[in-house]
Amino acid sequence: MMADGQLKVLGCSGGFGKGHHTTSFLINESLLIDCGTGVGQLAHNELKKINHIFITHCHLDHIVSLPFLLDAVGVKRHRPLQVYASKTTIDAISNHIMNDLIWPNFTKIPSPDEASVVFFDVQAMSTWHLDGLKIYSYAVPHVVDALAYVIESSSGAIAFSGDTGYSKEFIDFLNTVDNLKHLIIETSFPDEEIELARISQHLCPSLLTSMLENLHSQAQIHLSHLKPGYEKKILDQVIHGSRRRISTLKNNQNLLF
């Protein structure tokens, strides 16, 4: 059976610099998960095809390309771009970025009746049916309100943790997902910085492998959001602590589900 879902990695780094693009994934040409600097890898005609964006949380590395995307194609669209996020994230974008000071308020451009973007408040455990896909949200622990997403096609499912601290509850939720083929999960720091990981509510290899012990699925595990310069050390530490199929996510990688 051929997969009906395809995720393309536009950006998956936990930092900024040459060769490093922050979090954004393109699914089946029309849907984005997060809107980091990786969106800049898309050509203008590809940007115009995006109809929906699901945002995990309001930190800049996950939302920075949204204002530029709206500036590039917002008024050229036949319908508003639909952005799905928690109320905290929507308020942060509205109050601190698209506030007619830092950036124009595209909810009123070209007019309030014909806006370039509309926002939808995503609650934890919400479900959306869009473009032949089913999207679930789940709240995960972070220093701001944060969401994980599961995207399900007719042939399988893929999950993305977003930024998260240790959460057995998230793994318990994933154990209810049928035919989970891939799990993209952040691992920001090496074990030497476990206290920083705990304070900032991120993961390090020992915290991640402890979580994965409770995962029933044999899904392929992909590490994301690794801090630049630590990629090899983090991967080596994760592989040493787990018997699962684990790899680091790469720019332009395609995952079928």
Side-chain angles (χ1 to χ4, degrees), residues 33 54 122-129 133-139 147-153 157-160 173 176-178:
I33 304 294
F54 283 79
V122 177
Q123 305 290 324
M125 301 300 291
S126 296
T127 303
W128 305 83
H129 296 267
L133 299 169
K134 188 175 183 180
I135 300 100
Y136 307 85
S137 61
Y138 186 83
L147 297 166
Y149 290 109
V150 173
I151 305 96
E152 183 181 290
S153 75
I158 192 166
F160 173 49
F173 167 67
T176 69
V177 177
D178 293 332

Side-chain angles (χ1 to χ4, degrees), residues 67-84:
F68 299 113
L69 173 59
L70 289 167
D71 185 56
V73 300
V75 297
K76 301 173 184 176
R77 296 175 50 82
H78 298 298
R79 57 174 175 162
L81 183 70
Q82 299 182 341
V83 176
Y84 306 78

Side-chain angles (χ1 to χ4, degrees), residues 58 63 87-98:
C58 63
I63 65 170
K87 185 178 185 303
T88 297
T89 298
I90 295 170
D91 288 347
I93 294 170
S94 300
N95 294 333
H96 302 295
I97 298 178
M98 293 198 320

Side-chain angles (χ1 to χ4, degrees), residues 5 18 20 43 45 53 58 85 91 109 126 137 146 149 152 155 163 174 179 185 241:
K18 185 176 181 179
H20 299 284
N45 65 313
I53 303 177
C58 63
D91 288 347
I109 296 175
S126 296
S137 61
Y149 290 109
E152 183 181 290
S155 53
D163 288 8
L174 292 180
N179 200 12
I185 191 160

Side-chain angles (χ1 to χ4, degrees), residues 31-48:
L31 189 147
L32 284 177
I33 304 294
D34 276 344
C35 205
T37 61
V39 176
Q41 304 306 300
L42 295 176
H44 191 263
N45 65 313
E46 294 174 306
L47 295 174
K48 292 172 67 175

Side-chain angles (χ1 to χ4, degrees), residues 23 28-29 31 62 73 146:
T23 306
N28 291 2
E29 295 189 331
L31 189 147
H62 296 259
V73 300

